[in-house]
Amino acid sequence: MPHRLLKFALRKQYPEERMFRAPTELRDEYDVVIIGGGGHGLAAAYYLAKDHGITNVAVLEKGYIGSGGTGRNTAIIRSNYLTREGANFYQASVDLFQDLSRELNLNLFYSERGHFTLAHSPASLRTQRWRAEVNKHLGIDSEVVGPEFIKKTVPELDLSCGGHQAPVVGALYHPPGAIARHDAVAWGYARGADQRGVEIHQKTAVTDIEVRDGQVAGVHTDKGFIKTRKVLSAVAGWTTSITERVGLRTPLVIHPLQALVTEPLKPWLHSIVVSASLHTYVSQSSRGELVAGASLDPYELISMRSTLDFAETMSGHLLDLFPFLGDIKILRQWAGLCDMTPDFSPIMGTTPIGGFYIDAGWGTWGFKATPISGKTMAATVCEDHDHPLITAFNLSRFERFELVGEKGAASVGH
Amino acid sequence: MKILNCPINGPRPIQEFHYGGEVRSLPDSATVTDAEWADYVFHRAGEPGVKREWWYHLASGTWFVAERDNRSDEILRTYLYAAEARHE
Ligand SMILES: Cc1cc2nc3c(=O)[nH]c(=O)nc-3n(C[C@H](O)[C@H](O)[C@H](O)COP(=O)(O)OP(=O)(O)OC[C@H]3O[C@@H](n4cnc5c(N)ncnc54)[C@H](O)[C@@H]3O)c2cc1C
């Protein structure tokens, strides 16, 4: 092994192939243009090519792939949601995730850890029980557990929270809860799409969308105009600037969400621990860093700045749960944009504009949905008809007052 | 620390305030259609830029309006809604 590594280092030419091509010129016309090279846009491109044989596709990314929420999230994957529509949808995503490293031939470090949502009050235990019952009914592995079980599984956790917070009285436990290497998900889908003929154009921003007689006719980019009759907007936190271009009103409000990593430690925290009351979720990455995130910033802002406020509050809450972390240093902190919906469910599918499809409303919960949203949006774009798994998430649900209330499961419960 | 200028209490740290969302006018409930009502209840102005927003100073119970750029977080102006309405 050291010998191979040395040979690798001394090679003049980089011996590995690039993950995907870097086309220089845009074509005049594509069958489908996907705006946004996050996990969702790239997954949709991959499944358009793989499942539907549509390969004259361009993914346009204004920065580099994975530079949005995809490379900024805390990478928690789970399906213990509160509504039937949500739980079925996210379970289908978990099913795809479990086989994804093999399918994409790239190690995504998909790691099942077990996911605890701590309850600090009888009221929150009630919601957990409700979720557990919905989950069990749908065949999802999920149950309410008591303090003894939590203490046995995560002995480092201070159930009394040092007396600074209400003590932990139980938890919703979801054994398949997992984490994965988020940027590898973007690269894997990008490579798979590229190998099938899709073009990925980084540093290419969409500036406007041409609609003629209610039908998409093309997109304007900072590198010129492209003709297309189908556009998929997969830009999460940037969605409102795209929907405004086609005159579509949405309920989306954009808030930053912040996270941090600590210096690496020897492995000690196997489980994923979430406390909605403390606005905290934490896991230990395969590199040993603790990855922790908070709740949304308190007001609308379309900017990825991080704050001292966050670092202070987050550290305080981590210490409430794990007091022995007092000497551990924070390595990095950052923010991402979250496109929040009033019911904490996504907005997916067809729109009143012919050929304009939307994949948005991913808020703080969209990483786990990457595979299934790619798959269902590819089918929706191909057939111009909402895939059965996503019909409840169509933008028109707001006009019909048919919300899909996931607040109890999605607000801070990554 | 981010400072917000309360029209009554002057510059205060932003932690003392609560964000109340976009300033919007209630449609006339006698004539509004279902679609207009749904639009009012759920939909928001999407275009990033300078917004008129409700803010609330928690310590003194003051609601007021702020004009803020939601891309740069720059607060351009704050004023009491009533004071402004009188001038309009
Ligand atoms: C701190 C944090 C923690 C999170 N934790 C979790 C978690 O634990 N689990 C979970 O499931 N979810 C989590 N999320 C949410 C998750 O990150 C997002 O929902 C998800 O990444 C959205 O993926 P996407 O591909 O839709 O969008 P993104 O990855 O944001 O991609 C959108 C892309 O579009 C590009 N773009 C924007 N405008 C244009 C334009 N005009 N032209 C061209 N390109 C454009 C952007 O540059 C960006 O790369 C978290 C989010 C944050 C911020």
Side-chain angles (χ1 to χ4, degrees):
Chain A
M1 180 63 193
H3 182 64
R4 249 188 77 199
L5 199 62
L6 198 68
K7 250 175 76 184
F8 186 96
L10 294 175
R11 288 277 290 262
K12 285 233 167 54
Q13 258 180 349
Y14 189 71
E16 292 287 320
E17 278 187 28
R18 307 302 299 183
M19 288 290 282
F20 50 89
R21 296 163 297 158
T24 44
E25 298 274 306
L26 287 166
R27 288 183 212 161
D28 297 335
E29 185 167 1
Y30 293 93
D31 294 339
V32 181
V33 168
I34 297 176
I35 316 174
H40 286 233
L42 293 163
Y46 173 82
Y47 292 111
L48 269 175
K50 180 166 176 272
D51 295 356
H52 307 281
I54 301 177
T55 56
N56 183 20
V57 176
V59 178
L60 308 182
E61 164 54 52
K62 75 178 165 78
Y64 56 93
I65 67 163
S67 56
T70 297
R72 294 166 187 273
N73 61 69
T74 46
I76 299 173
I77 298 160
R78 62 184 176 88
S79 62
N80 55 350
Y81 276 70
L82 187 58
T83 66
R84 171 186 286 272
E85 295 85 352
N88 279 334
F89 175 78
Y90 292 106
Q91 182 55 43
S93 207
V94 170
D95 291 345
L96 288 174
F97 252 126
Q98 285 172 340
D99 192 40
L100 201 57
S101 293
R102 198 195 52 77
E103 163 145 10
L104 298 178
N105 191 23
L106 184 67
N107 190 351
L108 306 177
F109 286 53
Y110 186 82
S111 166
E112 283 187 4
R113 298 297 189 84
H115 180 281
F116 285 96
T117 314
L118 306 177
H120 298 255
S121 69
S124 112
L125 206 53
R126 243 190 333 268
T127 317
Q128 319 286 43
R129 195 168 294 286
W130 176 12
R131 274 168 70 184
E133 293 310 317
V134 171
N135 294 161
K136 282 185 210 162
H137 185 66
L138 298 170
I140 293 166
D141 192 358
S142 173
E143 59 180 324
V144 171
V145 295
E148 311 73 40
F149 182 87
I150 306 171
K151 192 74 204 167
K152 211 176 94 215
T153 321
V154 194
E156 296 83 359
L157 182 67
D158 180 1
L159 293 176
S160 72
C161 296
H164 304 297
Q165 310 285 348
V168 175
V169 293
L172 182 68
Y173 181 54
H174 180 46
I179 50 175
R181 197 175 145 214
H182 47 205
D183 28 31
V185 173
W187 299 337
Y189 275 125
R191 183 175 65 179
D194 173 81
Q195 283 167 347
R196 288 167 175 80
V198 170
E199 289 185 359
I200 297 162
H201 291 267
Q202 301 187 98
K203 296 195 192 130
T204 308
V206 169
T207 50
D208 205 352
I209 297 171
E210 190 88 12
V211 178
R212 290 186 205 131
D213 302 325
Q215 162 66 46
V216 167
V219 297
H220 294 275
T221 76
D222 55 1
K223 294 184 179 159
F225 179 74
I226 317 171
K227 273 205 285 191
T228 185
R229 290 181 61 79
K230 291 191 173 193
V231 168
L232 167 59
S233 171
V235 294
W238 291 268
T239 300
T240 55
S241 26
I242 296 293
T243 45
E244 284 295 318
R245 302 281 80 79
V246 294
L248 212 56
R249 298 258 296 159
T250 76
L252 295 172
V253 178
I254 317 296
H255 288 249
L257 179 69
Q258 305 192 46
L260 58 77
V261 293
T262 66
E263 56 187 317
L265 307 170
K266 284 185 181 169
W268 62 272
L269 180 63
H270 183 75
S271 311
I272 302 161
V273 176
V274 180
S275 164
S277 317
L278 303 192
H279 308 296
T280 299
Y281 34 97
V282 56
S283 68
Q284 188 170 22
S285 76
S286 43
R287 271 200 298 232
E289 304 154 331
L290 293 181
V291 182
S295 60
L296 283 181
D297 277 17
Y299 60 91
E300 184 177 14
L301 185 61
I302 310 182
S303 151
M304 294 192 281
R305 58 96 186 91
S306 195
T307 62
L308 178 62
D309 259 10
F310 158 74
E312 283 179 350
T313 325
M314 185 81 251
S315 314
H317 288 159
L318 279 176
L319 293 183
D320 289 338
L321 296 173
F322 302 108
F324 73 98
L325 292 177
D327 291 334
I328 302 306
K329 292 184 179 56
I330 294 172
L331 216 57
R332 296 188 299 282
Q333 64 178 92
W334 65 90
L337 298 181
C338 294
D339 44 338
M340 301 299 293
T341 55
D343 56 0
F344 294 77
S345 284
I347 296 174
M348 299 179 77
T350 51
T351 68
I353 298 148
F356 185 78
Y357 307 90
I358 188 166
D359 174 79
W362 290 111
T364 65
W365 52 84
F367 172 65
K368 67 179 70 62
T370 306
I372 197 62
S373 87
K375 204 167 176 78
T376 52
M377 285 311 301
T380 302
V381 169
C382 174
E383 281 150 35
D384 192 36
H385 183 74
D386 289 342
H387 184 281
L389 261 184
I390 63 167
T391 44
F393 304 139
N394 194 282
L395 175 61
S396 62
R397 74 176 179 273
F398 299 102
E399 270 162 43
R400 288 179 276 116
F401 294 88
E402 282 174 10
L403 275 59
V404 185
E406 278 295 357
K407 180 160 186 167
S411 59
V412 248
H414 286 281
Chain B
M1 187 191 301
K2 183 98 191 150
I3 304 286
L4 190 57
N5 193 21
C6 171
I8 302 283
N9 302 284
R12 305 295 306 166
I14 201 145
Q15 288 85 346
E16 287 186 15
F17 297 88
H18 177 79
Y19 169 67
E22 194 189 312
V23 175
R24 301 170 306 132
S25 39
L26 189 71
D28 180 353
S29 60
T31 56
V32 69
T33 64
D34 284 356
E36 286 162 355
W37 184 248
D39 184 67
Y40 168 75
V41 172
F42 296 116
H43 292 161
R44 296 293 179 268
E47 191 74 69
V50 175
K51 296 284 177 75
R52 286 175 76 217
E53 305 170 326
W54 285 111
W55 283 81
Y56 180 66
H57 185 237
L58 295 157
S60 65
T62 314
W63 278 106
F64 60 94
V65 177
E67 286 175 12
R68 188 177 65 94
D69 190 326
N70 70 6
R71 296 161 302 186
S72 61
D73 206 11
E74 190 190 348
I75 297 150
L76 306 172
R77 205 156 85 87
T78 56
Y79 50 87
L80 292 175
Y81 183 76
E84 191 79 354
R86 239 177 291 146
H87 291 137
E88 269 171 7

